[in-house]
């Protein structure tokens, strides 16, 4: 039996961050439910992904900023 996969929508924009043996891909994408951020971590071929709806993005960035500021004070 042969199954066809639905074609994937290409990213609207993408960023790649390589740190040590990890690679992070940040892809701004869109589907029929709206825009979202897809964050993928690749460690030696093993991938973990989270999807974040765009309305949550500003709050996520603010939380990351607070954590970065806190870590800088340590």
């Amino acid at each position: 039996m042969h199954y066809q996969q639905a074609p994937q929508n290409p990213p609207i924009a993408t960023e790649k961050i390589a740190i040590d043996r990890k690679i992070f891909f940040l892809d701004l994408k869109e589907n029929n439910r709206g825009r979202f951020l897809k964050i993928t971590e690749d460690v030696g071929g093993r991938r973990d992904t989270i999807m974040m709806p765009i309305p949550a993005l500003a709050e996520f960035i603010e939380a990351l900023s607070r954590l970065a500021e806190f870590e800088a004070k340590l």
Side-chain angles (χ1 to χ4, degrees):
M1 198 177 287
H2 178 67
Y3 294 98
Q4 284 192 338
Q5 291 183 348
Q8 296 255 345
N9 294 339
I12 298 168
T14 189
E15 292 285 339
K16 178 180 172 182
I17 302 167
I19 299 176
D20 296 328
R21 60 186 192 94
K22 294 184 178 195
I23 301 172
F24 296 93
F25 299 95
L26 301 124
D27 298 319
L28 178 62
K29 298 190 85 174
E30 186 171 32
N31 62 20
N32 60 348
R33 292 188 285 175
R35 289 192 187 127
F36 60 95
L37 180 65
K38 177 182 173 187
I39 303 170
T40 303
E41 174 193 35
D42 184 307
V43 181
R46 181 173 171 262
R47 290 187 171 204
D48 292 305
T49 300
I50 64 168
M51 309 289 200
M52 180 174 308
I54 290 303
L57 188 57
E59 188 174 343
F60 185 78
I61 292 169
E62 289 171 9
L64 287 175
S65 292
R66 287 191 300 272
L67 288 171
E69 289 172 13
F70 182 82
E71 193 281 330
K73 294 176 184 176
L74 295 179

